[in-house]
């Protein structure tokens, strides 16, 4: 409401609910629960890539995700962290925004 007594809660970062296959990847990287901010989703995806060593040790910006659930979700064999467009397309399909 707009009356002066009522203060809006401080701006919450948008919360999202990952769809099941993405949630499994996040949980494999140590995520708890099933509601996250996009920043948390990116952090856990980075952890997942690191711990499963899906990146090329010689060219660390290259991620080879073919043969991994991540690759199935992204629909690609590899991608560069410098061109995250396949990643954003996957997130749009696999994250449900929470409006509450
Ligand atoms: C800037 C950021 C980024 C974030 C989002 C996007 Cl769309 C592009 C790029 N980024 C830069 N390099 C990486 C990266 C590279 C190789 C392996 C793991 C992560 C990341 C990614 C992070 C992350 O949270 N990054 C912070 C600390 N990272 C530094 C890189 N470190 C690794 C570098 C290679 C050697 C192992 C450590 C891991 C910690 N989350 C991601 C999730 C995905 Cl689906 C893809 C990439 C990343």
């Amino acid at each position: 409401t707009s009356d002066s007594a009522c203060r809006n809660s401080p701006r919450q970062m948008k919360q999202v609910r990952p769809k099941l296959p993405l949630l499994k990847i996040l949980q494999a990287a140590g995520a708890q629960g099933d509601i996250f901010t996009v920043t948390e989703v990116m952090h856990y995806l980075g952890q997942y890539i690191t711990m499963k060593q899906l990146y090329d040790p010689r060219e660390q910006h290259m991620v080879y995700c073919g043969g991994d659930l991540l690759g199935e979700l992204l629909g690609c064999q590899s991608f560069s962290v410098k061109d995250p467009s396949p990643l954003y397309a996957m997130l749009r399909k696999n994250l449900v925004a929470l409006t509450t």
Side-chain angles (χ1 to χ4, degrees), residues 15-76:
Q15 300 207 304
V16 290
R17 184 189 294 275
K19 290 183 180 170
L20 197 58
L22 177 56
L23 180 62
K24 292 218 170 305
I25 289 179
L26 303 180
Q27 289 176 338
Q32 308 284 325
D34 57 7
I35 293 178
F36 303 92
T37 62
V38 174
T39 307
E40 288 168 327
V41 170
M42 296 312 288
H43 166 76
Y44 285 116
L45 282 173
Q47 293 287 88
Y48 180 84
I49 292 166
T50 304
M51 66 174 224
K52 290 195 83 171
Q53 301 195 344
L54 299 179
Y55 62 91
D56 181 331
R58 289 178 311 285
E59 280 192 276
Q60 295 181 350
H61 67 94
M62 282 307 297
V63 177
Y64 292 91
C65 46
D68 188 276
L69 179 54
L70 181 60
E72 283 174 46
L73 272 186
L74 288 167
C76 67

